[in-house]
Amino acid sequence: MFKELFHFKKEGESEEEKRRDGVEWQEGSKSHLKKGVRPIMACVETREQLEKNPNVETAMFSDDETEKQNMKEVDYYGRPEDLNKQNFKNAGYESYVISTIDDSNKFSKSFKNCTGLVVSGVDKETGKNISFISHEDPGYFLDQRENKNRFVHDLEQQLREFKERSDEGTIDAVIVGGNYFKSGDYRIDYLSSIELLSDEISKVLGFKPLVMTGPKTAHGSDSIFFENDNKRLYIVRPEVGDKTTESYMPNELDKQKKKWPIRD
């Protein structure tokens, strides 16, 4: 079983406290958020770096069901019938998965060629943070018009519901995942996926989402965990430290992709 450990801090922590765990946090744009609303913040580390952190306290991915309370797995490899029982939007095995909108912590594993969205806001009725996560395969929704239409329909429906439920000026969204290998259609898939996701967010929510990291250029997969209450996103990937871990805005894509190493 894949396991990761994370250390969570609470709202209202000082800047010194934020740095004590040795993690470098990336903060998104605030231009679409009202005053006092913090954007989604993310850290990008390897599994080994996280496991060596002396301040790591909370087991994340665990076989112990008691540690998964108030936590939802957005399982791209899950059986469609199981996903349907959870009211997750999907189009069958290894197509896409869009979680429900609620105040639970959420995680998703094995982003290889897949990209994903993390969307967060404040529920206008309860005042609590709410969120949803998507995990989608460009090979599914870019290849055939019917598949694309189904994915776009489900994503737009989810975004519109999220907008309706959220207090104005509290919604933030970021893009994660993707590969950028020299062989095959990886680069085309990645660029097209970023464009589609960015356009859908802009159309429904009225702003362009931050791409929290560039694509992987090393073989392996990303895993993510979103800590809902504090809007903390943890991204685990095979390698870090080069330009692929830099965040960027979609309109900077042409400039940013020149920085990424290309590997077979």
Side-chain angles (χ1 to χ4, degrees):
M1 178 69 177
F2 180 84
K3 293 185 178 180
E4 291 298 344
L5 302 176
F6 296 105
H7 174 64
F8 306 121
K9 297 189 180 299
K10 297 180 179 179
E11 201 73 56
E13 63 192 345
S14 68
E15 290 303 313
E16 181 181 354
E17 287 173 324
K18 290 177 185 177
R19 292 192 294 268
R20 281 179 187 165
D21 57 4
V23 172
E24 180 179 349
W25 293 96
Q26 298 178 174
E27 188 174 90
S29 170
K30 297 181 180 180
S31 59
H32 54 281
L33 300 171
K34 65 183 181 181
K35 186 176 180 180
V37 177
R38 189 171 70 180
I40 294 170
M41 299 179 67
C43 69
V44 188
E45 300 216 323
T46 65
R47 176 177 177 176
E48 290 74 22
Q49 286 173 322
L50 289 170
E51 288 178 339
K52 290 178 181 178
N53 191 324
N55 293 312
V56 167
E57 295 177 354
T58 304
M60 198 11 249
F61 292 32
S62 172
D63 291 321
D64 187 348
E65 291 302 318
T66 62
E67 296 185 18
K68 293 185 177 182
Q69 294 178 359
N70 193 36
M71 187 183 304
K72 289 187 176 179
E73 180 174 10
V74 184
D75 188 2
Y76 171 74
Y77 297 100
R79 297 189 306 171
E81 55 267 35
D82 293 336
L83 299 174
N84 292 335
K85 287 179 182 178
Q86 299 178 76
N87 293 318
F88 286 4
K89 299 182 187 298
N90 73 100
Y93 186 64
E94 294 189 19
S95 57
Y96 61 85
V97 184
I98 304 174
S99 78
T100 51
I101 301 169
D102 55 41
D103 61 0
S104 66
N105 297 328
K106 300 170 181 70
F107 67 94
S108 192
K109 299 182 289 185
S110 297
F111 286 83
K112 296 177 182 176
N113 197 36
C114 290
T115 52
L117 282 172
V118 180
V119 183
S120 174
V122 176
D123 190 299
K124 64 174 66 172
E125 298 294 332
T126 67
K128 293 182 177 181
N129 285 350
I130 53 175
S131 57
F132 78 83
I133 283 178
S134 74
H135 186 150
E136 58 273 349
D137 183 2
Y140 170 82
F141 65 81
L142 294 176
D143 282 352
Q144 298 181 25
R145 181 178 297 274
E146 181 180 351
N147 293 350
K148 180 179 179 181
N149 289 343
R150 181 167 182 176
F151 171 66
V152 168
H153 173 271
D154 280 354
L155 180 58
E156 286 188 1
Q157 187 179 62
Q158 193 79 336
L159 290 170
R160 294 187 191 284
E161 179 184 345
F162 198 87
K163 183 178 181 179
E164 177 64 26
R165 290 179 54 176
S166 298
D167 190 15
E168 186 176 358
T170 67
I171 301 177
D172 196 18
V174 300
I175 298 173
V176 297
N179 285 332
Y180 203 72
F181 299 144
K182 184 177 180 180
S183 59
D185 294 327
Y186 291 112
R187 286 179 287 176
I188 295 173
D189 283 355
Y190 178 75
L191 298 175
S192 298
S193 182
I194 297 300
E195 181 180 10
L196 185 148
L197 295 173
S198 175
D199 286 350
E200 289 303 314
I201 291 290
S202 180
K203 180 167 65 175
V204 179
L205 301 182
F207 64 88
K208 292 287 187 179
L210 182 74
V211 185
M212 193 53 83
T213 67
K216 295 176 297 301
T217 59
H219 288 280
S221 63
D222 292 345
S223 292
I224 66 171
F225 171 76
F226 186 63
E227 202 270 314
N228 180 78
D229 288 348
N230 291 323
K231 301 171 72 171
R232 292 280 179 96
L233 175 63
Y234 297 79
I235 303 173
V236 183
R237 64 174 18 185
E239 294 181 1
V240 298
D242 62 20
K243 298 297 183 180
T244 64
T245 57
E246 290 184 354
S247 59
Y248 66 92
M249 293 301 295
N251 61 1
E252 301 171 327
L253 181 53
D254 286 341
K255 175 183 175 182
Q256 196 70 18
K257 69 183 183 181
K258 296 176 182 178
K259 302 177 182 181
W260 301 330
I262 304 300
R263 307 178 189 177
D264 292 328

